[in-house]
Amino acid sequence: MESGESVFFSCKGMVGRYVTVTIPGRTEHLILCEVQVFGLPETSNGLSGKSLVLVEEGVQDYAILHPSVPIDLTQFTLCLRVSTELPSRRSIILFSYYNDRDELNIWRGLDGKLSLYLGGSELAAKFSLPRLSTFGTHICVTWESSSGLTAFWFDGKRSASKTYQKGHQVLPGGRVILGQDQDKFGSSFDAKQSFVGEISDVQLWNYVLPPQAIKEVYEGKSKSLGNIINWKSIKYTLYGNAIV
């Protein structure tokens, strides 16, 4: 560290009561201007039949989801239902999974396209789809590593497929946040990218669902719930003025 520099360390879920700062192999006194320690509030369980409501643009309102199994993916289906009145020419983060990079992000970009970003890449799989609305939109995205085949589903209808990040793997150890884009682990948000509206029915599977199954998820008829993120039983933590 240089003089005046700040360094951020993520404990990634560590539980504890005290913080000790040392430099291994050195015995002289260590002078620190400031140490800040951030902990998590108590978590809650299950969002069946409920929505996450984020009513104000800013960096203070969001939810952390706590999957019970690691997010370690060579293929996936990610679904969620969103309602928003944000203008079309504004970036919106719909789903953020970050460890030491953007592992899995879903965006609506300035151009109005829905995009999938994997592995910290600046390149995305972008799709021209209908606009999001205040009446609610059900979105799914499927991706499979061996072929790179990627597709979006919009209210039960599939887009054309594209190839993206063939041979890639989504790595475990990250954090899932709804409502904000993480530029660092669990932090460094941008108000102009925040989500304002309602999010519900977030489901993540570690495999690609067949077309009929995705249609049943959209119609609310599916008995298959995400085996990685299950909205019905997921543990979550609210921040700021986020409401369930």
Side-chain angles (χ1 to χ4, degrees), residues 5-178:
E5 184 180 354
S6 295
V7 177
F8 174 85
F9 299 94
S10 171
C11 299
K12 296 190 177 183
M14 183 183 296
V15 177
R17 184 176 179 184
Y18 301 105
V19 174
T20 302
V21 181
T22 62
I23 299 180
R26 294 175 61 173
T27 57
E28 67 268 31
H29 290 292
L30 179 64
I31 299 174
L32 300 173
C33 295
E34 181 181 31
V35 175
Q36 294 180 326
V37 180
F38 300 89
L40 296 176
E42 183 178 358
T43 60
S44 302
N45 294 329
L47 288 161
S48 179
K50 300 178 181 179
S51 296
L52 171 67
V53 182
L54 304 163
V55 297
E56 185 177 0
E57 180 178 282
V59 299
Q60 71 281 354
D61 301 342
Y62 60 99
I64 295 178
L65 303 186
H66 307 283
S68 59
V69 294
I71 298 178
D72 186 0
L73 307 170
T74 55
Q75 56 181 309
F76 65 79
T77 303
L78 172 62
C79 295
L80 68 163
R81 195 177 301 273
V82 298
S83 304
T84 184
E85 294 185 349
L86 287 170
S88 58
R89 296 194 64 81
R90 180 192 182 279
S91 294
I92 308 173
I93 185 67
L94 301 177
F95 184 91
S96 172
Y97 172 60
Y98 188 103
N99 48 32
D100 58 353
R101 61 184 183 180
D102 292 314
E103 278 296 327
L104 197 173
N105 282 9
I106 306 296
W107 283 90
R108 191 198 70 183
L110 289 171
D111 57 6
K113 294 182 178 181
L114 289 182
S115 302
L116 169 66
Y117 286 84
L118 295 177
S121 174
E122 294 183 2
L123 299 176
K126 296 187 176 184
F127 293 79
S128 297
L129 299 169
R131 294 175 59 177
L132 305 180
S133 82
T134 189
F135 298 109
T137 302
H138 188 261
I139 299 168
C140 292
V141 58
T142 61
W143 172 81
E144 197 267 329
S145 176
S146 64
S147 64
L149 282 177
T150 306
F152 269 85
W153 290 74
F154 197 93
D155 285 343
K157 297 180 180 179
R158 187 176 69 83
S159 71
S161 295
K162 299 183 178 182
T163 57
Y164 177 64
Q165 292 287 62
K166 182 178 179 180
H168 179 70
Q169 179 179 359
V170 178
L171 299 176
R175 173 164 290 172
V176 176
I177 286 184
L178 301 179

